[in-house]
């Protein structure tokens, strides 16, 4: 087992750097400090993430963020309070890197502690791997396991479960590159933010000017979370752990989720997106 270090691993595919993982970011408490991947790039070097953009300073590249763990905000920014709306509260938690159990140029296994008011509430094991698919595409395989280490039950919520319809964000989240034109978003059978937001599609593609991201919920077919999608206000895609009801985690239990993302140069169509994501998930 590796000891804790202050370095920032760089993910490489075929020798080329494609992602930088920041384990110990120096961030204001209001942003719910947590490790993140940024910048993430295509094989040609195009950045496809943003860090702390002006529209949402608490959006941190690629990572795991949850707005409500028994009232603690691990997302950053304001907290949605029922019958009150978005509210500034002193309720921000932090994800703290503990150690790398494994670290290679193409990935790592990390242990983290989710801390609220000085006490650990969740323990996470995060497994991240980068794999070459073609000379124009690679895949980021991201799995996180959250274990309730408290003596009592915990539950994960979202603004949607707290009274704000459609705002079921929380879980894996990718803040994409913002460009002059909003990206195209589509699944195998639907197109546009209004149609794909909240869908439980096998995969979902976000296509920018010269790049495409294809997300696949790869945990298992019986436990596929709905997608959280934004394109008009900002480009972002995530999974919804608490879409229409809170997600309970009894003491000692573990919630596991896996998201595989294709990172491709060029604007992919449906057929190309489907083919690449099938290859990525099967590896």
């Amino acid at each position: 087992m590796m000891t804790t270090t202050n370095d920032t691993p760089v993910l490489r595919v075929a020798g080329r750097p494609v992602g930088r993982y920041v384990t110990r970011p120096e961030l204001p408490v209001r942003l719910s400090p947590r490790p993140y991947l940024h910048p993430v790039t295509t094989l040609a070097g195009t950045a496809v993430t943003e860090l702390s953009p002006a529209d949402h300073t608490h959006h941190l590249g690629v990572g795991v963020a949850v707005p409500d763990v028994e009232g603690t905000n691990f997302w950053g920014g304001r907290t949605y309070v029922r019958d009150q709306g978005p509210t500034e509260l002193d309720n921000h938690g932090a994800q703290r890197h503990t150690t790398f159990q494994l670290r290679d140029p193409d990935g790592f296994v990390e242990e983290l502690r989710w801390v609220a008011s000085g006490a650990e509430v969740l323990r996470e094991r995060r497994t991240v791997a980068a794999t070459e698919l073609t000379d124009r595409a690679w895949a980021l395989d991201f799995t996180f396991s959250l274990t309730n280490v408290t003596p009592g039950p915990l539950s994960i919520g979202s603004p949607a479960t707290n009274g704000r319809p459609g705002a079921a964000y929380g879980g894996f989240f990718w803040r994409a590159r913002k460009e002059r034109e909003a990206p195209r978003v589509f699944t195998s059978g639907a197109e546009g933010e209004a149609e794909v937001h909240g869908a439980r599609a096998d995969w979902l593609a976000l296509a920018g000017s010269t790049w495409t991201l294809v997300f696949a919920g790869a945990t298992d077919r019986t436990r596929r979370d709905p997608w959280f999608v934004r394109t008009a206000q900002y480009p972002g895609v995530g999974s919804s752990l608490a879409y229409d009801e809170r997600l309970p985690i009894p003491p000692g239990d573990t919630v596991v989720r896996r998201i595989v993302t294709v990172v491709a140069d060029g604007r992919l169509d449906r057929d190309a997106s489907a083919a690449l994501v099938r290859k990525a998930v099967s590896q």
Side-chain angles (χ1 to χ4, degrees), residues 43-78:
L43 289 175
T46 301
V48 288
T49 54
E50 285 202 12
L51 179 69
S52 212
D55 55 53
H56 289 78
T57 57
H58 49 281
H59 288 180
L60 308 177
V62 179
V64 182
V66 176
D68 178 0
V69 179
E70 289 299 319
T72 297
N73 183 340
F74 288 93
W75 176 271
R78 295 178 295 176

Side-chain angles (χ1 to χ4, degrees), residues 32-44:
S32 296
R34 56 196 183 271
Y36 58 81
L37 280 158
H38 176 81
V40 177
T41 70
T42 67
L43 289 175

